[in-house]
Short mmCIF file of all heavy atoms in Angstrom, two decimals:
data_model
loop_
_atom_site.label_atom_id
_atom_site.label_comp_id
_atom_site.label_asym_id
_atom_site.label_seq_id
_atom_site.Cartn_x
_atom_site.Cartn_y
_atom_site.Cartn_z
N ASN B 154 100.01 104.21 106.47
CA ASN B 154 101.17 103.53 107.03
C ASN B 154 100.85 102.71 108.28
O ASN B 154 101.62 101.81 108.63
CB ASN B 154 102.27 104.56 107.35
CG ASN B 154 103.07 104.91 106.11
OD1 ASN B 154 103.12 104.14 105.15
ND2 ASN B 154 103.71 106.07 106.12
N ASP B 155 99.75 103.01 108.93
CA ASP B 155 99.38 102.20 110.08
C ASP B 155 99.07 100.75 109.67
O ASP B 155 99.30 99.82 110.43
CB ASP B 155 98.16 102.80 110.80
CG ASP B 155 98.58 103.80 111.87
OD1 ASP B 155 99.77 104.14 111.92
OD2 ASP B 155 97.71 104.23 112.66
N ILE B 156 98.53 100.58 108.48
CA ILE B 156 98.31 99.23 107.98
C ILE B 156 99.64 98.50 107.88
O ILE B 156 99.80 97.36 108.34
CB ILE B 156 97.64 99.26 106.59
CG1 ILE B 156 96.35 100.09 106.62
CG2 ILE B 156 97.35 97.84 106.10
CD1 ILE B 156 95.71 100.25 105.26
N TYR B 157 100.59 99.20 107.30
CA TYR B 157 101.93 98.63 107.15
C TYR B 157 102.52 98.31 108.52
O TYR B 157 103.09 97.24 108.73
CB TYR B 157 102.79 99.65 106.42
CG TYR B 157 103.86 99.10 105.50
CD1 TYR B 157 103.57 98.08 104.59
CD2 TYR B 157 105.14 99.61 105.51
CE1 TYR B 157 104.53 97.60 103.73
CE2 TYR B 157 106.11 99.13 104.66
CZ TYR B 157 105.81 98.12 103.78
OH TYR B 157 106.79 97.66 102.93
N ALA B 158 102.36 99.24 109.45
CA ALA B 158 102.90 99.04 110.79
C ALA B 158 102.26 97.82 111.45
O ALA B 158 102.93 97.05 112.13
CB ALA B 158 102.66 100.29 111.64
N HIS B 159 100.96 97.65 111.24
CA HIS B 159 100.28 96.51 111.85
C HIS B 159 100.84 95.19 111.31
O HIS B 159 101.09 94.25 112.06
CB HIS B 159 98.78 96.60 111.59
CG HIS B 159 97.97 95.65 112.41
ND1 HIS B 159 97.06 96.08 113.35
CD2 HIS B 159 97.94 94.30 112.46
CE1 HIS B 159 96.52 95.03 113.95
NE2 HIS B 159 97.03 93.93 113.41
N LEU B 160 101.04 95.15 110.00
CA LEU B 160 101.60 93.94 109.40
C LEU B 160 102.99 93.66 109.96
O LEU B 160 103.34 92.52 110.28
CB LEU B 160 101.66 94.09 107.88
CG LEU B 160 100.31 94.07 107.17
CD1 LEU B 160 100.49 94.40 105.69
CD2 LEU B 160 99.64 92.71 107.32
N LEU B 161 103.77 94.72 110.07
CA LEU B 161 105.13 94.55 110.60
C LEU B 161 105.08 94.02 112.03
O LEU B 161 105.82 93.10 112.39
CB LEU B 161 105.87 95.89 110.55
CG LEU B 161 107.29 95.91 111.07
CD1 LEU B 161 108.18 94.93 110.31
CD2 LEU B 161 107.88 97.31 111.01
N LEU B 162 104.17 94.58 112.81
CA LEU B 162 104.04 94.15 114.21
C LEU B 162 103.67 92.67 114.27
O LEU B 162 104.21 91.92 115.08
CB LEU B 162 102.99 95.01 114.91
CG LEU B 162 102.81 94.80 116.41
CD1 LEU B 162 104.13 95.01 117.14
CD2 LEU B 162 101.75 95.73 116.96
N ASP B 163 102.76 92.24 113.41
CA ASP B 163 102.40 90.82 113.36
C ASP B 163 103.65 89.97 113.15
O ASP B 163 103.87 88.97 113.84
CB ASP B 163 101.42 90.56 112.21
CG ASP B 163 100.00 91.01 112.56
OD1 ASP B 163 99.75 91.29 113.74
OD2 ASP B 163 99.17 91.06 111.64
N ASN B 164 104.47 90.37 112.18
CA ASN B 164 105.68 89.60 111.90
C ASN B 164 106.63 89.61 113.08
O ASN B 164 107.21 88.57 113.44
CB ASN B 164 106.38 90.18 110.67
CG ASN B 164 105.61 89.91 109.40
OD1 ASN B 164 104.71 89.06 109.38
ND2 ASN B 164 105.95 90.61 108.33
N TYR B 165 106.83 90.79 113.66
CA TYR B 165 107.72 90.89 114.81
C TYR B 165 107.27 89.93 115.92
O TYR B 165 108.08 89.22 116.52
CB TYR B 165 107.71 92.31 115.36
CG TYR B 165 108.68 93.25 114.69
CD1 TYR B 165 109.49 92.83 113.64
CD2 TYR B 165 108.82 94.56 115.12
CE1 TYR B 165 110.38 93.70 113.03
CE2 TYR B 165 109.71 95.44 114.52
CZ TYR B 165 110.48 94.99 113.47
OH TYR B 165 111.36 95.87 112.89
N ARG B 166 105.98 89.90 116.17
CA ARG B 166 105.48 89.06 117.27
C ARG B 166 105.69 87.59 116.96
O ARG B 166 106.01 86.79 117.84
CB ARG B 166 103.99 89.36 117.50
CG ARG B 166 103.80 90.77 118.02
CD ARG B 166 102.54 90.88 118.87
NE ARG B 166 102.56 92.12 119.65
CZ ARG B 166 101.58 93.01 119.68
NH1 ARG B 166 100.47 92.79 118.98
NH2 ARG B 166 101.68 94.09 120.43
N GLN B 167 105.50 87.25 115.69
CA GLN B 167 105.73 85.86 115.29
C GLN B 167 107.19 85.47 115.53
O GLN B 167 107.48 84.42 116.10
CB GLN B 167 105.39 85.71 113.80
CG GLN B 167 105.33 84.27 113.33
CD GLN B 167 105.14 84.20 111.81
OE1 GLN B 167 104.59 85.13 111.21
NE2 GLN B 167 105.62 83.12 111.21
N MET B 168 108.08 86.37 115.16
CA MET B 168 109.50 86.08 115.37
C MET B 168 109.83 86.01 116.84
O MET B 168 110.57 85.14 117.28
CB MET B 168 110.35 87.16 114.69
CG MET B 168 110.40 87.03 113.18
SD MET B 168 111.68 88.05 112.44
CE MET B 168 110.87 89.62 112.43
N LEU B 169 109.25 86.93 117.61
CA LEU B 169 109.54 86.96 119.04
C LEU B 169 109.15 85.65 119.71
O LEU B 169 109.88 85.13 120.56
CB LEU B 169 108.80 88.13 119.70
CG LEU B 169 109.07 88.33 121.19
CD1 LEU B 169 110.55 88.57 121.43
CD2 LEU B 169 108.25 89.49 121.75
N THR B 170 108.01 85.10 119.30
CA THR B 170 107.59 83.81 119.85
C THR B 170 108.67 82.76 119.67
O THR B 170 109.04 82.03 120.60
CB THR B 170 106.30 83.33 119.14
OG1 THR B 170 105.33 84.37 119.22
CG2 THR B 170 105.77 82.06 119.78
N GLN B 171 109.20 82.71 118.45
CA GLN B 171 110.24 81.71 118.17
C GLN B 171 111.50 82.00 118.98
O GLN B 171 112.13 81.07 119.50
CB GLN B 171 110.54 81.71 116.67
CG GLN B 171 111.67 80.80 116.25
CD GLN B 171 111.34 79.33 116.49
OE1 GLN B 171 110.21 78.96 116.76
NE2 GLN B 171 112.37 78.48 116.41
N LEU B 172 111.87 83.26 119.08
CA LEU B 172 113.08 83.60 119.85
C LEU B 172 112.92 83.18 121.31
O LEU B 172 113.84 82.62 121.92
CB LEU B 172 113.37 85.10 119.78
CG LEU B 172 113.79 85.68 118.44
CD1 LEU B 172 114.57 86.96 118.64
CD2 LEU B 172 114.60 84.70 117.62
N LYS B 173 111.74 83.43 121.86
CA LYS B 173 111.51 83.06 123.25
C LYS B 173 111.56 81.55 123.42
O LYS B 173 112.04 81.04 124.43
CB LYS B 173 110.16 83.61 123.73
CG LYS B 173 110.22 85.09 124.05
CD LYS B 173 108.92 85.58 124.70
CE LYS B 173 109.08 87.01 125.21
NZ LYS B 173 107.78 87.62 125.53
N ARG B 174 111.02 80.85 122.42
CA ARG B 174 111.07 79.40 122.45
C ARG B 174 112.52 78.93 122.50
O ARG B 174 112.89 78.05 123.28
CB ARG B 174 110.35 78.84 121.21
CG ARG B 174 109.95 77.38 121.34
CD ARG B 174 109.10 76.96 120.15
NE ARG B 174 107.84 77.69 120.10
CZ ARG B 174 107.19 77.99 118.97
NH1 ARG B 174 107.71 77.63 117.80
NH2 ARG B 174 106.05 78.65 119.00
N LEU B 175 113.34 79.55 121.66
CA LEU B 175 114.76 79.18 121.64
C LEU B 175 115.43 79.48 122.97
O LEU B 175 116.21 78.67 123.49
CB LEU B 175 115.48 79.93 120.52
CG LEU B 175 115.34 79.32 119.12
CD1 LEU B 175 115.78 80.32 118.06
CD2 LEU B 175 116.18 78.05 119.02
N ALA B 176 115.11 80.64 123.52
CA ALA B 176 115.74 81.04 124.78
C ALA B 176 115.35 80.09 125.91
O ALA B 176 116.08 79.92 126.87
CB ALA B 176 115.35 82.47 125.13
N ALA B 177 114.17 79.48 125.78
CA ALA B 177 113.69 78.61 126.85
C ALA B 177 114.14 77.16 126.67
O ALA B 177 113.94 76.33 127.56
CB ALA B 177 112.16 78.66 126.91
N ASP B 178 114.75 76.87 125.55
CA ASP B 178 115.15 75.48 125.25
C ASP B 178 116.45 75.14 125.97
O ASP B 178 117.53 75.58 125.58
CB ASP B 178 115.32 75.32 123.73
CG ASP B 178 115.56 73.86 123.37
OD1 ASP B 178 115.88 73.06 124.27
OD2 ASP B 178 115.42 73.52 122.18
N ASP B 179 116.34 74.33 127.02
CA ASP B 179 117.52 74.04 127.83
C ASP B 179 118.42 72.97 127.23
O ASP B 179 119.51 72.72 127.73
CB ASP B 179 117.08 73.61 129.25
CG ASP B 179 116.67 74.81 130.07
OD1 ASP B 179 117.20 75.91 129.78
OD2 ASP B 179 115.83 74.66 130.97
N HIS B 180 117.93 72.33 126.17
CA HIS B 180 118.80 71.35 125.50
C HIS B 180 119.94 72.02 124.77
O HIS B 180 120.90 71.37 124.37
CB HIS B 180 117.99 70.50 124.51
CG HIS B 180 117.00 69.62 125.18
ND1 HIS B 180 115.65 69.61 124.81
CD2 HIS B 180 117.12 68.74 126.20
CE1 HIS B 180 115.02 68.74 125.58
NE2 HIS B 180 115.88 68.21 126.44
N LEU B 181 119.78 73.32 124.53
CA LEU B 181 120.79 74.03 123.75
C LEU B 181 121.74 74.80 124.66
O LEU B 181 121.35 75.28 125.72
CB LEU B 181 120.11 75.03 122.80
CG LEU B 181 119.08 74.45 121.82
CD1 LEU B 181 118.40 75.57 121.04
CD2 LEU B 181 119.76 73.47 120.86
N THR B 182 122.98 74.90 124.21
CA THR B 182 123.91 75.77 124.92
C THR B 182 123.57 77.22 124.58
O THR B 182 122.82 77.49 123.63
CB THR B 182 125.35 75.50 124.50
OG1 THR B 182 125.51 75.89 123.13
CG2 THR B 182 125.70 74.02 124.63
N GLY B 183 124.15 78.13 125.34
CA GLY B 183 123.90 79.53 125.07
C GLY B 183 124.30 79.91 123.65
O GLY B 183 123.56 80.60 122.93
N VAL B 184 125.47 79.44 123.25
CA VAL B 184 125.95 79.77 121.90
C VAL B 184 125.02 79.18 120.84
O VAL B 184 124.73 79.82 119.83
CB VAL B 184 127.40 79.27 121.70
CG1 VAL B 184 127.82 79.47 120.26
CG2 VAL B 184 128.35 80.01 122.62
N GLN B 185 124.54 77.99 121.10
CA GLN B 185 123.59 77.38 120.15
C GLN B 185 122.31 78.19 120.07
O GLN B 185 121.73 78.38 119.00
CB GLN B 185 123.29 75.94 120.54
CG GLN B 185 124.41 74.97 120.17
CD GLN B 185 124.24 73.59 120.80
OE1 GLN B 185 123.59 73.46 121.84
NE2 GLN B 185 124.82 72.59 120.17
N GLN B 186 121.87 78.69 121.22
CA GLN B 186 120.68 79.54 121.23
C GLN B 186 120.92 80.80 120.41
O GLN B 186 120.09 81.20 119.58
CB GLN B 186 120.32 79.93 122.66
CG GLN B 186 119.68 78.82 123.47
CD GLN B 186 119.36 79.26 124.88
OE1 GLN B 186 119.69 80.38 125.30
NE2 GLN B 186 118.73 78.36 125.64
N ILE B 187 122.09 81.39 120.63
CA ILE B 187 122.43 82.62 119.90
C ILE B 187 122.42 82.35 118.40
O ILE B 187 121.79 83.07 117.62
CB ILE B 187 123.82 83.13 120.33
CG1 ILE B 187 123.76 83.63 121.78
CG2 ILE B 187 124.30 84.23 119.39
CD1 ILE B 187 125.12 83.93 122.38
N ARG B 188 123.09 81.28 118.02
CA ARG B 188 123.14 80.97 116.59
C ARG B 188 121.74 80.73 116.04
O ARG B 188 121.38 81.22 114.98
CB ARG B 188 124.02 79.73 116.35
CG ARG B 188 124.17 79.35 114.89
CD ARG B 188 125.11 78.17 114.69
NE ARG B 188 126.49 78.51 114.93
CZ ARG B 188 127.29 79.05 114.01
NH1 ARG B 188 126.82 79.32 112.81
NH2 ARG B 188 128.54 79.32 114.29
N GLY B 189 120.94 79.99 116.80
CA GLY B 189 119.58 79.72 116.35
C GLY B 189 118.78 80.99 116.15
O GLY B 189 118.07 81.14 115.15
N MET B 190 118.91 81.89 117.09
CA MET B 190 118.16 83.15 116.98
C MET B 190 118.58 83.94 115.75
O MET B 190 117.74 84.42 114.99
CB MET B 190 118.42 84.02 118.23
CG MET B 190 117.76 83.52 119.49
SD MET B 190 118.17 84.58 120.88
CE MET B 190 117.39 83.70 122.23
N LEU B 191 119.86 84.07 115.57
CA LEU B 191 120.36 84.87 114.45
C LEU B 191 119.94 84.25 113.12
O LEU B 191 119.43 84.93 112.23
CB LEU B 191 121.88 85.01 114.52
CG LEU B 191 122.41 85.80 115.72
CD1 LEU B 191 123.93 85.72 115.79
CD2 LEU B 191 121.95 87.25 115.67
N VAL B 192 120.15 82.94 113.00
CA VAL B 192 119.82 82.27 111.74
C VAL B 192 118.32 82.35 111.47
O VAL B 192 117.89 82.69 110.37
CB VAL B 192 120.30 80.81 111.76
CG1 VAL B 192 119.72 80.05 110.58
CG2 VAL B 192 121.82 80.74 111.73
N TYR B 193 117.54 82.06 112.51
CA TYR B 193 116.09 82.10 112.31
C TYR B 193 115.64 83.47 111.81
O TYR B 193 114.90 83.60 110.83
CB TYR B 193 115.36 81.76 113.60
CG TYR B 193 113.88 82.05 113.54
CD1 TYR B 193 113.02 81.20 112.84
CD2 TYR B 193 113.34 83.19 114.13
CE1 TYR B 193 111.66 81.48 112.76
CE2 TYR B 193 112.00 83.48 114.06
CZ TYR B 193 111.16 82.62 113.37
OH TYR B 193 109.83 82.90 113.27
N THR B 194 116.10 84.50 112.49
CA THR B 194 115.62 85.85 112.14
C THR B 194 116.09 86.27 110.76
O THR B 194 115.33 86.83 109.98
CB THR B 194 116.10 86.86 113.19
OG1 THR B 194 116.09 86.25 114.47
CG2 THR B 194 115.21 88.07 113.19
N LEU B 195 117.34 85.98 110.46
CA LEU B 195 117.84 86.37 109.14
C LEU B 195 117.14 85.58 108.04
O LEU B 195 116.80 86.14 106.99
CB LEU B 195 119.36 86.18 109.06
CG LEU B 195 120.16 87.21 109.86
CD1 LEU B 195 121.64 86.89 109.83
CD2 LEU B 195 119.91 88.62 109.33
N GLU B 196 116.90 84.30 108.29
CA GLU B 196 116.21 83.50 107.27
C GLU B 196 114.77 83.98 107.10
O GLU B 196 114.23 83.95 106.00
CB GLU B 196 116.25 82.01 107.63
CG GLU B 196 117.59 81.40 107.27
CD GLU B 196 117.66 79.90 107.56
OE1 GLU B 196 116.72 79.38 108.19
OE2 GLU B 196 118.66 79.28 107.15
N TYR B 197 114.19 84.41 108.18
CA TYR B 197 112.84 84.97 108.08
C TYR B 197 112.83 86.17 107.14
O TYR B 197 111.97 86.29 106.28
CB TYR B 197 112.36 85.40 109.47
CG TYR B 197 110.91 85.79 109.53
CD1 TYR B 197 109.94 84.89 109.92
CD2 TYR B 197 110.51 87.08 109.19
CE1 TYR B 197 108.61 85.25 109.98
CE2 TYR B 197 109.18 87.46 109.24
CZ TYR B 197 108.24 86.53 109.63
OH TYR B 197 106.91 86.90 109.68
N HIS B 198 113.82 87.00 107.28
CA HIS B 198 113.92 88.17 106.40
C HIS B 198 114.21 87.74 104.96
O HIS B 198 113.71 88.34 104.01
CB HIS B 198 115.02 89.11 106.87
CG HIS B 198 114.61 90.00 108.01
ND1 HIS B 198 114.61 89.57 109.31
CD2 HIS B 198 114.15 91.27 108.02
CE1 HIS B 198 114.18 90.56 110.09
NE2 HIS B 198 113.90 91.59 109.34
N ARG B 199 115.02 86.72 104.81
CA ARG B 199 115.36 86.27 103.47
C ARG B 199 114.13 85.74 102.75
O ARG B 199 113.90 86.01 101.57
CB ARG B 199 116.42 85.16 103.53
CG ARG B 199 116.93 84.74 102.18
CD ARG B 199 117.43 83.32 102.23
NE ARG B 199 116.39 82.38 102.67
CZ ARG B 199 116.60 81.12 102.96
NH1 ARG B 199 117.82 80.64 102.91
NH2 ARG B 199 115.60 80.34 103.33
#
Side-chain angles (χ1 to χ4, degrees):
Chain B
N154 278 338
D155 271 9
I156 306 175
Y157 213 47
H159 192 116
L160 289 173
L161 180 59
L162 186 56
D163 283 348
N164 290 344
Y165 274 2
R166 293 208 164 128
Q167 191 187 333
M168 285 193 280
L169 183 59
T170 306
Q171 176 65 12
L172 292 204
K173 282 188 171 166
R174 198 173 296 149
L175 278 166
D178 187 345
D179 283 332
H180 293 128
L181 303 175
T182 67
V184 173
Q185 283 169 335
Q186 285 179 356
I187 292 170
R188 182 177 289 275
M190 288 178 184
L191 294 173
V192 168
Y193 168 76
T194 324
L195 288 175
E196 281 183 351
Y197 189 96
H198 280 82
R199 186 206 58 189

